[in-house]
Amino acid sequence: MAAAVSILVRISDIDPIAAKKFIFHAGYWIVFVSSALYFWLLLKYIWPKISRLISAKYRWGLLGAMIGAVFLQIHEPRQFKIMYDEYSITGVARNMHFLREASFPTTAHYISDRLYVTESQIDKRPFFFPFVLSLLHDLTGYRVGNAFILNALASLLLLLLVYVFGVKEGGVGLGLALQSLFLSLPLLAQCTTSGGYDVFNLCMIGMLWYTGIQYLSQSGAGGLNLFVLTSIHLAQTRYESILYTLVVIALVGYKWWRERVPSLTWLSVVCPLFLALPLLINKILMAIPGSLETKPGQDYFGFYYFPDNAKRALLYLFTLDFDSSNSFILSLFGSIALVFLIVAVFVRRRTFFASEKDTLLFALITIMIATSILTLCNFWGQWDDPVASRFSLPLCLAFILIIGRVVGELWRSRPVPYWLPALSFSLALAFSVPAAVRSFATHELISAQENAWFENVLSTRSKQRVLAIADSSIGLILYGYPAVSTGKARTVKWKLNECLKNRTYDEIIVLERFLSGTAKVAEVPFDGRALGSDFVREAIAEVRFRANTITRASRILRVEGIDSLPPDEYVKEDFAPNDERYIAHLYKALP
C-alpha cells in the first residue's frame, strides 16, 4: 500500500510550484527521519559484531581495506571533477547544513560581512548522499573538503564489504584477492577523490547485499526492516538505483515461498512511503525544460541509443590504453566469469536457486547489469567519455562479485591459495598506477580544470570585496565567494553596473572560455561561456587547457547597452547618507 502511494505521487497531477516548495522546505526533514531510522537499526545490528573486525578472519580484511583506501588517494588529485553535478550535490549538502533546505545555492552576496544565499534551486538528484555530507559538516564543521573525506570513508567501507563477500565465498585469500582486483580499476580512484556520489552508491549496493544475507539467514521477518531501509536509501542515492527495490521484492517473495508463511513488520510496510520523495523530484524536474540537459527535440532515453553506446562501452571496457580509466584485467576476467555463471544457472538451476546467498547474488547482479544497460539507452551513455565513464561502476562491481562466486566454486573443496591476492595486487600495480599517475581522464574534464584554476586566481583577493561570475556559480559559493552565474549576469546588466558605481564590490571578475584560431582570426566565445560585447572588461589572467581554447579571468570595468540602465523607480529614490533605508536601496541593485 505504501509503495502504491509513492507511485501515485509520481503519476498524479500535482501542482509543480506547490511540490517544489514542499521539497524545498520538507525534503531535508523527510531524509532526516528516514536516515535516523536507518542509522539506528544499522547501529543496533552492527554494534554487537564490531568485535569480529579484530578477529583473525576479518583483521586482514580491515587492514587490506585501509591500505586500499590510502592507495586510491595517492595519485589522483582530490577535486571536483564532473561539472556541474558534483557542485550541485555538494551545494545541497551546504544548504542542508546552513539552512536545513533541500536545495543548492545559485546566487550569493556578502551582506553586513556575512555570505547570504539569495537564490537557490532544487536538484534533480536524490538527497541521501548530500544529507550524509551535511551530517559530516554538522559534526566537524563546514569544509568543502568534507566531500572528499566522505568518499574516502565510503571507499574504505566498500573494500571491507568486498572482502566480507570474498570470505563468505572462499575464505581470507579470496577476500584479499577481490580487494586487490578492485584496486586495479583507475576509475575507482578517480571517483573516490571526487565530490560525486558514485563510490557511495557502490557502498550502498554492498550494504544491500550484506543486509540481504542477514535477512535470509533469519527466520520470519528478522532483518527485514534493515534490508528494506537499505534499499530505500540506496534508491535515494542515485535515481536509477530505485530499481534495486526489485531485489527486496524478489527476496521477500522468495523467502515467503520457502517458508510458506508471509511475514512482515509495520516498519517495512510503512517505509516505502519514503520513496515518494525521489519520485516527486523526478516528476517535477522532468517537466522543466533543460533539466535533463538535452537539446530541443532530443530524447533523454531511447533504445536507439543502445547500439552505438554499447559499441563504445565495449571499446572502453577492453582497451589496454593507459590513458583510459578502465581495467582490462577486471573486464576480461569478469566477462569470462559471467559466462561460467550463466552456464551454471542453466545447468544447475534447481540447486542454484536452492541456495539463499546465490539467489540474492543472482537478483543483485541482474539489477546491476540492467541498470548498466539502461545507462546505455540514454543520450549521455558513452562510457568512453570521461564524464560518463562513471556509469560503468555498477557493472565493474558486478564483475567483482561474479569473479568471487566463480573462483569460490572452483576452490570449493580447499582454501584459496595466498598467491592469488599477491597476483591480484601485482596486476593492480602494473595496470592502475600508470593510469592513475597520468590522470588523463581527470585532465580531460576541462570544466573541472577551469574552475579549480579560477578559484586559485580568486584566492589572492578578499572574499568580501570581489563578486565572481562563472558558467556555474555553485562552486564559487561553496568556497565562500559571492557569485552569480554567467546566464544570470546577462539578464541583470544594470545591477552589475550599479555595483561598480556604488563600490558594492571592489572588483567583479568573470571566468570565460574562448575558441582560438590563428593570429588573424578573432576569438569565438565557447558554447555561451562568455558575457558578450556589452561588458567592457580587461584580462587579468589566462591559461590554455587545450591547444585551441583560451580560459580567461577578466575584470569588468563597466557595462554598456540600453538594458544596463536602472529602472526609473530605482533612480527616483533619494536618501540622505544617514538614512538606514539607503542600505535596503543598495540591496535592490544586488544581481
Side-chain angles (χ1 to χ4, degrees):
M1 180 63 72
V5 172
S6 295
I7 294 172
L8 283 174
V9 167
R10 176 63 182 83
I11 64 176
S12 61
D13 186 18
I14 299 176
D15 178 38
I17 297 177
K20 285 179 69 174
K21 288 182 179 179
F22 175 78
I23 293 172
F24 195 90
H25 296 291
Y28 172 85
W29 299 107
I30 293 173
V31 180
F32 178 89
V33 172
S34 67
S35 300
L37 284 171
Y38 181 52
F39 292 148
W40 175 70
L41 286 174
L42 200 58
L43 186 63
K44 182 180 178 182
Y45 180 81
I46 296 294
W47 187 256
K49 302 178 184 294
I50 292 294
S51 59
R52 291 187 183 180
L53 291 177
I54 58 175
S55 65
K57 182 186 290 187
Y58 291 99
R59 188 183 306 149
W60 289 108
L62 181 59
L63 180 62
M66 294 171 66
I67 293 173
V70 172
F71 178 77
L72 292 172
Q73 299 287 324
I74 293 175
H75 300 296
E76 275 279 349
R78 282 174 290 281
Q79 65 180 57
F80 295 101
K81 296 172 182 177
I82 307 300
M83 299 286 131
Y84 297 103
D85 298 26
E86 295 180 13
Y87 278 165
S88 299
I89 295 166
T90 314
V92 173
R94 182 206 180 278
N95 276 10
M96 283 184 168
H97 171 63
F98 283 105
L99 306 171
R100 298 305 192 229
E101 293 175 352
S103 62
F104 61 84
T106 57
T107 304
H109 290 284
Y110 261 97
I111 302 172
S112 300
D113 206 35
R114 289 181 58 188
L115 185 68
Y116 284 88
V117 172
T118 55
E119 288 186 24
S120 297
Q121 292 181 13
I122 294 173
D123 193 21
K124 61 187 176 185
R125 300 160 191 87
F127 296 142
F128 184 49
F129 178 82
F131 173 81
V132 177
L133 181 54
S134 74
L135 189 61
L136 189 58
H137 291 326
D138 293 343
L139 296 175
T140 66
Y142 176 77
R143 299 177 189 85
V144 178
N146 280 347
F148 311 130
I149 293 174
L150 179 57
N151 272 328
L153 294 174
S155 69
L156 174 67
L157 181 55
L158 174 62
L159 290 171
L160 185 59
L161 288 166
V162 166
Y163 174 81
V164 172
F165 174 81
V167 166
K168 289 184 178 295
E169 293 295 338
V172 172
L174 182 56
L176 293 173
L178 293 180
Q179 282 184 333
S180 300
L181 187 59
F182 211 5
L183 293 176
S184 72
L185 181 65
L187 180 62
L188 185 63
Q190 179 185 328
C191 293
T192 299
T193 52
S194 75
Y197 51 22
D198 298 285
V199 174
F200 191 86
N201 185 63
L202 295 186
C203 191
M204 291 303 297
I205 294 173
M207 286 300 300
L208 186 65
W209 167 81
Y210 182 77
T211 55
I213 286 290
Q214 309 310 314
Y215 167 63
L216 291 175
S217 65
Q218 302 177 55
S219 61
L224 179 60
N225 289 339
L226 187 57
F227 188 35
V228 170
L229 275 169
T230 300
S231 72
I232 287 170
H233 287 85
L234 173 56
Q236 294 199 58
T237 303
R238 280 191 68 97
Y239 26 70
E240 68 268 20
S241 292
I242 198 169
L243 293 176
Y244 288 93
T245 55
L246 297 176
V247 174
V248 175
I249 295 171
L251 266 293
V252 170
Y254 168 81
K255 189 173 182 181
W256 288 1
W257 170 80
R258 190 190 65 186
E259 295 184 347
R260 309 297 183 190
V261 178
S263 53
L264 286 171
T265 64
W266 278 109
L267 188 60
S268 65
V269 171
V270 173
C271 277
L273 283 172
F274 290 120
L275 293 175
L277 184 61
L279 290 172
L280 185 59
I281 295 169
N282 176 264
K283 177 181 176 62
I284 293 170
L285 292 167
M286 286 291 285
I288 299 176
S291 64
L292 297 177
E293 302 177 49
T294 54
K295 298 177 181 177
Q298 184 181 31
D299 295 324
Y300 176 77
F301 182 88
F303 290 109
Y304 55 86
Y305 289 123
F306 181 78
D308 181 62
N309 286 346
K311 185 191 305 181
R312 297 176 68 166
L314 290 173
L315 290 173
Y316 168 75
L317 291 171
F318 293 98
T319 184
L320 281 167
D321 190 350
F322 282 139
D323 281 339
S324 178
S325 59
N326 76 311
S327 170
F328 173 80
I329 297 298
L330 177 57
S331 300
L332 178 64
F333 290 161
S335 300
I336 295 172
L338 179 59
V339 173
F340 273 93
L341 184 65
I342 292 172
V343 172
V345 170
F346 277 97
V347 173
R348 300 167 47 193
R349 53 187 176 273
R350 292 184 180 178
T351 56
F352 186 89
F353 290 109
S355 167
E356 296 171 347
K357 67 175 185 177
D358 283 340
T359 302
L360 171 61
L361 182 63
F362 179 81
L364 193 60
I365 289 173
T366 299
I367 297 299
M368 293 167 82
I369 294 175
T371 56
S372 299
I373 292 173
L374 285 176
T375 64
L376 297 176
C377 295
N378 72 58
F379 84 106
W380 207 357
Q382 300 90 20
W383 289 2
D384 56 345
D385 183 343
V387 175
S389 56
R390 58 204 164 99
F391 297 146
S392 67
L393 278 174
L395 181 63
C396 293
L397 179 58
F399 282 158
I400 291 290
L401 301 181
I402 295 167
I403 291 170
R405 179 66 186 92
V406 171
V407 173
E409 183 67 21
L410 293 176
W411 266 278
R412 180 171 51 178
S413 59
R414 59 192 186 281
V416 173
Y418 281 96
W419 58 260
L420 192 61
L423 176 62
S424 297
F425 190 69
S426 299
L427 291 173
L429 289 175
F431 286 91
S432 69
V433 170
V437 170
R438 291 159 68 92
S439 301
F440 178 80
T442 297
H443 293 299
E444 276 293 291
L445 302 169
I446 184 171
S447 294
Q449 304 303 318
E450 287 177 331
N451 281 271
W453 172 80
F454 190 45
E455 286 152 14
N456 285 331
V457 171
L458 295 175
S459 64
T460 60
R461 292 164 166 80
S462 170
K463 292 182 179 181
Q464 291 91 335
R465 302 305 306 158
V466 59
L467 176 64
I469 302 175
D471 190 48
S472 173
S473 55
I474 309 169
L476 298 166
I477 297 171
L478 292 178
Y479 282 98
Y481 290 97
V484 298
S485 68
T486 304
K488 182 178 178 60
R490 294 194 197 100
T491 65
V492 290
K493 295 178 183 178
W494 76 268
K495 291 188 174 183
L496 291 172
N497 221 9
E498 288 298 302
C499 284
L500 291 171
K501 289 195 301 183
N502 296 328
R503 292 192 58 81
T504 308
Y505 295 102
D506 292 340
E507 293 180 291
I508 300 179
I509 299 177
V510 58
L511 174 68
E512 300 171 290
R513 187 195 305 173
F514 299 90
L515 293 175
S516 65
T518 61
K520 296 180 180 180
V521 181
E523 298 171 352
V524 178
F526 176 83
D527 195 24
R529 300 195 183 193
L531 282 175
S533 58
D534 286 344
F535 295 83
V536 180
R537 50 208 187 275
E538 63 176 0
I540 57 176
E542 69 178 37
V543 66
R544 288 179 181 262
F545 291 106
R546 298 286 186 278
N548 66 331
T549 66
I550 297 174
T551 300
R552 181 178 297 144
S554 302
R555 180 187 296 110
I556 296 178
L557 302 178
R558 65 182 183 278
V559 185
E560 299 176 342
I562 188 67
D563 54 348
S564 67
L565 297 175
D568 290 340
E569 59 270 19
Y570 179 83
V571 176
K572 290 178 181 178
E573 291 181 333
D574 191 18
F575 302 100
N578 61 346
D579 194 332
E580 293 184 357
R581 293 178 299 167
Y582 180 59
I583 297 176
H585 173 72
L586 291 178
Y587 290 165
K588 292 179 183 179
L590 291 176

